[in-house]
Amino acid sequence: MANSEYEYVKREFEFESRLPPSNWIVVRIDGCHFHRFSKIHTFEKPNDESALRLMNACATSMLEKFPDIVFAYGVSDEYSFVFREETEFYQRRESKILSLCVSYFTSMYVMKWKDFFPNKELKEPPYFDGRVVCYPNLKTIRDYLAWRQVDCHINNQYNTCFWLLVKSGKTEKEAQQALKGTFSKDKNELLLQQFQINYDDELAMFRKGSCVYRDKDLSFGKSISTFSEKLVTTLKKCSINLTGVSGREEKCRYEYVKKFDINHRIPPCNWTVVSINANQFEQFSLTHSFDKPNDETALRLMNASASLMLELFPDIVFGYGFSNEYSFVFQEKTELYQRQESLILSSCTSCFTSFYMMKWKDFFPNKDLVEPPHFEAELLCYPKQKIVCDYLSSRQAECHTSNQYNTCFWMLVKSGKSENEAHQILKGTLSKDKNELLFQQFQLNYNNEPAMFRKGSCTYRQKVEEYVEVEGSENITRERWDVIVEHVDLGMEFWRKRPYILSR
Ligand code: GTP
Ligand code: MG
């Protein structure tokens, strides 16, 4: 299948945005809808110690996995990760760094859940959004972290008072009224007078948040880099503990820090595609002994996760996936996150990771998930519907090319050839040569292979009519949109027959 007619899609519309050199890179992630998530999982109010320890354990795993993260600071459902200023991680490609961080953190959160909540089932997929901010020097990094810690202090002091008032019999409204306009010292007074609580005696983790970094004295990371040393010593010296600060000057400083946060937005009337693919999948599929070249169950798990994405995000109108990748097309007028690129990219990647893990047991009841699956993603932007269709066709062409090659390759290997020999035999062969080889040597007609392997999977909504029984009167039909998965050619014919998909 000629891929050349779609080559322009990649050539002209795929850019890799790299973060400026010599800047500290901060990835800040934040739980999506954690107000609801904490309610469903009956987290203690205002602070759930296990939930916070789980966040800290995930952050620690992040530092173990990514050596260039030198410091992390977390509070409530958020965590900031600081990469050393000279990091060449993913050649500083923004979407790779962001998606991978958020996905790995999500994966650890799901993996470690039962260690921290042995008696609580994970009822809903946790997921996080994230953003990347660059800070040019130590001073701005320090101010950034101090800003987050001041936020922690303000929120925690307020919430501590609020929930004590509520627990003592006030309604939420009354508690709000009682706290309106109070200063930090008023709140401390209130705690002391009404509840005999000295705020400073509250757990430091609640009051100050949590810092994670490598320490020379600990076994964790013996070779602390000079970069992280510089940051940690500076932070220790200045102490990012700014509890009680509320002057005008400090406020200005935090307003300044916020200016570094540049939120790119997708231009209006453009189609957005989030393309997700598994990171270090070779290793992951080996560990979980997936069939080669295609593991049907693993592909069905990808499809199930994709279907859930369409259920959760109404603005995703189409998904196409094969092997370890899935692309999601958003309707052109989506207002998800006010079209902020990093939030769309990160929340999708995180959510997909979470779905994949939570559905794992349904598809592999006899296989434990022993390694965290994690995904990376990029966000693509196309001004015309035709280009979106060409993009999807190019992915399908890629599916065909790689699947045909892999089918031949593994047949040759299974028949006794070494991997090197198999590569040599296939070198320079055309599509029809491979079909011939399969037929001649293995009596296999490539076109009879399962369509899911050859064509990949299309996920979209389809209108179905439902008969509803109504007591005492005639039954009525109701329309419903169901998410379906098909393995078909994504040519002109497909879109002509289903015009509603892209022009809802
Ligand atoms: P988005 O981030 O915009 O998706 O909304 P969100 O619901 O996650 O709210 P936000 O991030 O602004 O605030 C975090 C929310 O998580 C808090 O308002 C709490 O409701 C909840 N939360 C975080 N940590 C705890 C905890 O330890 N205990 C309880 N009970 N709730 C918590
Ligand atoms: Mg949140």
Side-chain angles (χ1 to χ4, degrees), residues 30-35 76-78 129:
D30 184 291
C32 291
H33 312 297
F34 258 52
H35 186 69
S76 178
D77 67 340
E78 75 163 59
D129 62 41

Side-chain angles (χ1 to χ4, degrees), residues 4 6 81 85 89 301 338 400:
S4 53
Y6 311 121
F81 296 96
E85 60 187 328
F89 188 51
L301 171 57
Q338 294 92 50
H400 168 74

Side-chain angles (χ1 to χ4, degrees), residues 204-270:
M205 179 165 70
F206 299 168
R207 287 182 294 115
K208 295 172 193 264
S210 304
C211 303
V212 182
Y213 55 91
R214 295 177 193 85
D215 199 309
K216 258 189 197 151
D217 309 329
L218 303 174
S219 57
F220 177 39
K222 274 185 219 108
S223 56
I224 186 169
S225 72
T226 49
F227 298 101
S228 56
E229 223 168 333
K230 204 162 68 178
L231 175 65
V232 170
T233 356
T234 320
L235 290 172
K236 270 184 181 162
K237 239 191 275 166
C238 308
S239 166
I240 63 166
N241 170 28
L242 292 180
T243 312
V245 171
S246 61
R248 184 181 295 247
E249 192 197 325
E250 293 298 338
K251 264 211 181 112
C252 287
R253 227 160 78 195
Y254 303 139
E255 286 310 314
Y256 175 67
V257 167
K258 285 186 216 170
K259 287 191 179 149
F260 291 87
D261 193 343
I262 305 157
N263 286 319
H264 284 291
R265 284 168 206 263
I266 301 154
C269 293
N270 265 257

